[in-house]
Amino acid sequence: MPESNDHDGPQLPPEIETSSAGAHLGTLVATYPWQMPPIPWRGYAMWGALTVILCGTWGYLAGAAVGVVWAALVFLMLGIPLVLRRRSRFVDKNAQLALYQHGLVVVGANGAIRVARYDSTLAYLYGYSDDTFQHEADRPKYYTGTLTDIAGQSFPLNGFFETDFWLRGGYTDPQYWASTIHDGIVKACFASAAAELDAGGALEFGPIRISATDISANGQAVPWPSVQEISVDAGRVGITVDGKWKPLKGAALELIPNFRLFIALTDHRRHQAKPDEQEPHNNGEPQTD
């Protein structure tokens, strides 16, 4: 996993070091600065040219009164990049995401500091595909979501994202830190959660409840021996039974916290129900198209 800066680089701000020590987060793993993408002038130029052509034609056919609408649209096309760029000038200079052995410290664009531990956070963190003028094979993904801090309060965590048409400020290299966060949660929570299930307990992941005997959503339970696979389709979590996939009622992906932990535990219970079946190699990547 590449680090955005190594340990020979600048020292972390003392606020981050104090926060990590107070939460006993352990060794620093990597840091990722908050960054605003450059203005996508190519995309704006294309949209601007299209706007001029359409509005010019519209104004010619409908009369001069439409010139007001045309001028407003052109103003917006020229003004949006400048407004976004101006906003980036006010980002806190220490804004970054610092990953540690047992959790993370986030300095937001506004300078606010949030601390989360892998053994207690609820991570609603997902990767979404952007298909704007992109082929299926090379569609970029933007990562966005929320986590809960050590006080149980939710805070946003968004990845840096850039295309020819859209831009989103965020923490760089989200494909690495998002996966690291989910893996950290699995490492911190899997053993105790699996033991609780094996002992006859039950766990809830948003609208989904899993127990030693079945998986259920909104009161509709399916025993583990019948479950062939758990997967996501069009943003919905579903199960495959008798070769047919069906969504779990009310189980939208965005409502499932700690998705990779959820997949690891469901794979564990399915394997316990079918000991002769090989353990699946599902990394539980929480992505939706």
Side-chain angles (χ1 to χ4, degrees):
M1 177 186 69
E3 296 184 2
S4 57
N5 53 13
D6 54 38
H7 299 299
D8 295 329
Q11 295 294 315
L12 288 174
E15 295 85 354
I16 293 182
E17 295 184 338
T18 300
S19 298
S20 65
H24 307 289
L25 300 184
T27 306
L28 177 67
V29 175
T31 60
Y32 301 89
W34 195 98
Q35 182 178 331
M36 188 71 176
I39 298 175
W41 289 115
R42 175 184 171 187
Y44 282 115
M46 294 177 65
W47 282 117
L50 181 61
T51 300
V52 169
I53 293 172
L54 292 178
C55 291
T57 302
W58 183 23
Y60 175 78
L61 297 176
V66 189
V68 176
V69 177
W70 175 84
L73 289 174
V74 172
F75 175 78
L76 288 175
M77 292 301 302
L78 295 177
I80 288 176
L82 300 179
V83 171
L84 292 175
R85 210 70 199 136
R86 183 172 178 80
R87 283 178 56 198
S88 70
R89 295 172 53 191
F90 299 99
V91 173
D92 189 278
K93 65 179 181 180
N94 292 324
Q96 61 186 290
L97 166 63
L99 299 184
Y100 289 83
Q101 181 181 3
H102 303 299
L104 55 93
V105 177
V106 175
V107 180
N110 62 355
I113 298 177
R114 310 298 287 267
V115 182
R117 286 185 56 90
Y118 293 144
D119 58 7
S120 61
T121 191
L122 296 178
Y124 298 84
L125 187 60
Y126 312 103
Y128 295 84
S129 294
D130 177 82
D131 56 1
T132 308
F133 300 99
Q134 297 285 338
H135 296 293
E136 182 78 20
D138 59 359
R139 288 186 300 175
K141 286 184 171 62
Y142 64 93
Y143 291 79
T144 184
T146 63
L147 279 74
T148 54
D149 60 18
I150 55 178
Q153 299 299 310
S154 178
F155 65 92
L157 191 60
N158 299 315
F160 173 89
F161 179 72
E162 177 185 8
T163 70
D164 288 339
F165 295 91
W166 313 114
L167 69 165
R168 178 196 296 270
Y171 302 97
T172 57
D173 297 321
Q175 68 274 25
Y176 297 111
W177 55 253
S179 182
T180 300
I181 290 172
H182 279 291
D183 285 344
I185 293 172
V186 172
K187 183 177 180 180
C189 301
F190 178 81
S192 59
E196 183 174 349
L197 289 175
D198 294 345
L203 299 172
E204 293 185 354
F205 289 82
I208 300 178
R209 180 181 184 273
I210 58 176
S211 69
T213 57
D214 58 44
I215 179 172
S216 62
N218 287 303
Q220 299 178 351
V222 179
W224 290 117
S226 299
V227 180
Q228 297 172 308
E229 184 181 22
I230 297 176
S231 58
V232 177
D233 183 37
R236 298 180 301 172
V237 180
I239 60 176
T240 301
V241 177
D242 295 330
K244 296 182 179 180
W245 184 88
K246 64 177 182 179
L248 291 170
K249 187 176 181 181
L253 177 61
E254 62 188 19
L255 301 178
I256 312 301
N258 300 345
F259 186 78
R260 191 169 294 182
L261 174 63
F262 165 73
I263 289 296
L265 290 170
T266 55
D267 284 347
H268 169 71
R269 287 312 309 166
R270 290 196 304 112
H271 180 65
Q272 292 292 326
K274 301 178 180 179
D276 295 334
E277 183 178 287
Q278 184 177 0
E279 191 78 31
H281 300 285
N282 190 332
N283 67 359
E285 185 65 24
Q287 298 180 354
T288 182
D289 294 334

